[in-house]
Amino acid sequence: MRTYKLVLFLMLGLSIFTSCENDLDVTLEDDDELTSDDLFTSPEAYRQALAGVYGNLSFPGILGPDNDPNLAGIDGGTSQYIRGLFNLENLSTDEAIWSYENDPGLRGMQRNTWGSDNPLILGVFARAGYELSLANEFLRQTTPEVLDGRDVSESLRTEIRTYRAEARALRALAYYHFMDLFGKAPFYTENDAVGFVQAEEINRQELFTFIEGELLEIINDLAPALQNEYGRVDQGMARMLLAKIYLNAEVYTGEARYADCLAQCEQIIASGYTLTPNYLNNFMADNNTNGAQNEIIFPIINDGSFAQNYGGTTILIQGEVGNPEANGESLGVNPTGFGGLFRVRSQFSRRFTDNPIFENDSRNTLLTEDRPIAISDVGNTAQGYIIAKYSNRTSDGGFGSDRTFTDTDFPLFRYADVLLMYAEAHLRGGGGNRATALEYINALRTRAFGNSSGNISDGDLTLNFLIDERSRELYWECVRRQDLIRFGLYSGGQYNWSYKGGPQSGTSIPEFRELFPIPDQSLSSNSNLTQNPGY
């Protein structure tokens, strides 16, 4: 039973929120607004309002997949939160390629030639901004002064204190994506005026300081790790987000924080998370109950019955289906899926094919039969290998609730990544213990191979090993671009992958492309925003 999903998607109160995102230059579609006093008439109303803040991460509107999204002027599928992250974090790298380059924005994204008019970039900028607005309004409606006026009981106030911490963590997550992808953000909090205002711009350093401070301040108000309802923020999620910003701090601020990253990893490791014995259980339709829920630190909810949309794992699973293979049945969706939408680039494939040991690696989901490894024609869906990592099948062989829209939750943060981060932070001088780092890596390899045959020795544990191992473990989980930048392999010509910079052979790209541009629409509607260099 996905009881939390029912709460999340049947009781959304998105129409209560008033946007303050004039800089997005988009129209919020839910015009029939309720007043706050109309809405907050029962204890359950606060929970429902918080569900709206979560819901924005999962789907683009409340009217269903074929109706208008709540951000007008942007395609609903394009603006879905996870689909947007995948576009920017994976399609812009060596891990995936989209077959239909006439689709708006796709050619520029996967060839690293995007401009500030790219609709995929606007989709992410707008959706993350909307998350800020939803979180801010929830916080406005739950201050002690407001609760006094509604005569809220002490027991409910205790619950609301946790709700507020969750909303602040979700706001920090949105600001984290602004910091990582754009290097700046329009900044507003619950203390700013309600309405369409031009927010001030803050830079990467300021974002880092704000995110860190927020998370450290709220962490004790959150439920302990693994003690909240599945799908909700807990201390594990907050520590994971802290570990992420510390791991990338040298990129974000110029100051290394690897010791802080390792310390947060140690806290998470001590919290009770475990690796599910079957790697692929993390990516199946029952990953909320099949044991993966103890590895997935923070999922983005997908539900084929109650949260239908063309983003999330729906686009990933339907897009995995090969053309001409029509292997959708094996993935729990319609036989032809979305017509061979995705394939993987040869550089990714070779991480599994160059060494025969990876034939026995359960993370290797490549489908190679009758396919060349290289893609010489992006539009030819029969070229290049395809993968079968995500599935709408259940761990007992069943199917998700729908063959078009999937039940598989997207694992935004996963315990396996914590073990990899510990090892990297140690190798980069963050302290810890080398033997412990090796133990953590071999725990992942033992899970992957089913025995110790794939384990590495101490001499194998290097940064060069880790960047490849992170791709083998975490591919298509919205981390690859960030990883390549941190390892100095994204811009420049030290590492070129197929179609990087445009040509099939790949070419060097300038450093300014390590950040995405601020969308034209946002610049034109908020004079406080400035464009990133190079655009």
Side-chain angles (χ1 to χ4, degrees):
M1 292 290 293
R2 296 189 167 206
T3 54
Y4 178 62
K5 293 184 180 182
L6 294 176
V7 171
L8 184 60
F9 297 111
L10 295 180
M11 299 182 176
L12 281 178
L14 292 181
S15 62
I16 70 166
F17 298 107
T18 302
S19 174
C20 57
E21 292 148 7
N22 190 45
D23 53 289
L24 299 180
D25 195 26
V26 294
T27 303
L28 303 185
E29 287 292 300
D30 303 304
D31 295 324
D32 186 19
E33 292 185 359
L34 300 172
T35 68
S36 58
D37 290 337
D38 289 331
L39 182 72
F40 293 102
T41 57
S42 69
E44 187 63 20
Y46 293 93
R47 179 182 172 89
Q48 293 169 10
L50 179 65
V53 188
Y54 280 100
N56 184 57
L57 301 177
S58 294
F59 66 104
I62 60 176
L63 301 177
D66 298 314
N67 294 289
D68 291 337
N70 49 28
L71 299 177
I74 306 176
D75 174 75
T78 297
S79 69
Q80 196 272 341
Y81 209 109
I82 294 304
R83 181 168 169 179
L85 286 182
F86 183 83
N87 287 339
L88 274 58
E89 290 283 6
N90 289 98
L91 277 183
S92 69
T93 76
D94 58 351
E95 285 191 349
I97 201 158
W98 180 286
S99 298
Y100 304 106
E101 290 198 299
N102 288 332
D103 290 351
L106 267 303
R107 181 182 176 90
M109 182 56 59
Q110 63 188 17
R111 294 178 186 249
N112 313 93
T113 58
W114 56 76
S116 56
D117 60 347
N118 189 294
L120 308 184
I121 297 172
L122 175 62
V124 173
F125 195 94
R127 183 59 60 186
Y130 192 38
E131 184 70 2
L132 302 180
S133 185
L134 296 174
N136 285 338
E137 186 60 22
F138 179 84
L139 293 170
R140 290 189 190 100
Q141 295 297 334
T142 53
T143 64
E145 295 76 17
V146 170
L147 297 181
D148 287 343
R150 297 184 187 136
D151 197 24
V152 172
S153 69
E154 279 303 316
S155 61
L156 179 55
R157 286 173 190 253
T158 299
E159 291 184 48
I160 290 173
R161 186 178 300 112
T162 300
Y163 294 168
R164 286 176 59 83
E166 291 178 44
R168 290 171 70 180
L170 294 173
R171 182 176 63 183
L173 178 68
Y175 273 129
Y176 161 70
H177 288 133
F178 272 114
M179 176 174 67
D180 183 69
L181 297 166
F182 300 100
K184 59 180 65 174
F187 186 72
Y188 33 75
T189 70
E190 71 274 21
N191 299 318
D192 293 309
V194 177
F196 289 89
V197 298
Q198 292 194 353
E200 294 295 323
E201 177 181 282
I202 63 171
N203 62 31
R204 229 175 191 181
Q205 175 66 69
E206 293 167 326
L207 279 168
F208 186 98
T209 300
F210 176 80
I211 295 165
E212 180 187 26
E214 282 284 282
L215 294 171
L216 291 174
E217 185 173 313
I218 65 173
I219 199 161
N220 290 328
D221 287 335
L222 293 168
L226 294 165
Q227 298 302 308
N228 208 344
E229 291 174 277
Y230 173 80
R232 284 175 59 184
V233 170
D234 60 18
Q235 291 180 8
M237 181 274 196
R239 292 195 184 282
M240 183 72 169
L241 193 48
L242 282 168
K244 284 286 186 182
I245 69 169
Y246 293 144
L247 183 67
N248 294 283
E250 199 164 10
V251 173
Y252 297 154
T253 71
E255 178 187 356
R257 299 284 297 273
Y258 298 115
D260 291 322
C261 173
L262 191 139
Q264 291 299 325
C265 290
E266 288 179 326
Q267 292 274 357
I268 298 168
I269 291 166
S271 296
Y273 294 99
T274 57
L275 297 176
T276 183
N278 186 336
Y279 172 79
L280 291 177
N281 278 4
N282 287 297
F283 316 102
M284 303 193 82
D286 59 346
N287 60 354
N288 64 315
T289 60
N290 66 15
Q293 74 272 19
N294 296 318
E295 178 171 348
I296 298 173
I297 294 173
F298 187 61
I300 304 302
I301 303 299
N302 234 58
D303 192 295
S305 298
F306 300 109
Q308 296 181 345
N309 68 87
Y310 291 105
T313 58
T314 291
I315 189 75
L316 298 181
I317 296 170
Q318 296 281 10
E320 286 176 335
V321 177
N323 181 12
E325 287 87 351
N327 58 316
E329 181 80 6
S330 67
L331 297 172
V333 294
N334 297 319
T336 58
F338 287 172
L341 195 61
F342 292 123
R343 286 157 292 147
V344 293
R345 308 191 203 207
S346 60
Q347 289 76 16
F348 169 78
S349 297
R350 290 193 175 98
R351 282 185 205 107
F352 286 112
T353 62
D354 279 357
N355 188 333
I357 191 175
F358 294 112
E359 293 176 4
N360 299 316
D361 188 335
S362 63
R363 302 171 301 183
N364 179 359
T365 65
L366 290 170
L367 302 179
T368 64
E369 186 175 358
D370 297 326
R371 283 180 165 271
I373 192 171
I375 300 171
S376 60
D377 176 2
V378 172
N380 185 345
T381 61
Q383 293 182 349
Y385 295 163
I386 56 178
I387 65 167
K389 176 172 179 171
Y390 291 91
S391 174
N392 195 37
R393 302 292 294 269
T394 60
S395 56
D396 61 1
F399 291 83
S401 60
D402 189 90
R403 295 298 182 92
T404 299
F405 303 103
T406 60
D407 285 345
T408 309
D409 299 331
F410 183 84
L412 187 65
F413 293 146
R414 192 158 61 82
Y415 180 60
D417 193 4
V418 178
L419 303 183
L420 288 161
M421 288 195 295
Y422 179 100
E424 182 180 341
H426 169 72
L427 290 179
R428 293 186 185 276
N433 182 277
R434 186 175 178 88
T436 301
L438 182 64
E439 175 188 342
Y440 292 158
I441 296 303
N442 280 334
L444 296 175
R445 302 277 282 200
T446 298
R447 193 257 300 264
F449 288 86
N451 53 47
S452 62
S453 63
N455 285 13
I456 64 169
S457 64
D458 181 83
D460 297 321
L461 184 58
T462 65
L463 289 174
N464 286 339
F465 164 82
L466 275 180
I467 184 61
D468 286 345
E469 190 70 3
R470 286 186 62 81
S471 184
R472 282 187 285 263
E473 177 72 32
L474 302 170
Y475 64 96
W476 285 32
E477 294 184 49
C478 296
V479 298
R480 183 59 173 171
R481 169 193 155 275
Q482 183 185 90
D483 287 351
L484 288 172
I485 291 172
R486 190 173 65 255
F487 278 79
L489 298 174
Y490 190 75
S491 64
Q494 183 178 350
Y495 172 47
N496 291 336
W497 55 86
S498 300
Y499 299 101
K500 175 184 176 181
Q504 180 191 348
S505 59
T507 190
S508 174
I509 60 174
E511 187 177 359
F512 75 80
R513 293 206 177 274
E514 292 186 0
L515 288 174
F516 290 99
I518 307 304
D520 288 340
Q521 294 93 323
S522 301
L523 289 172
S524 65
S525 59
N526 185 351
S527 59
N528 293 323
L529 295 180
T530 59
Q531 187 55 276
N532 281 323
Y535 296 104

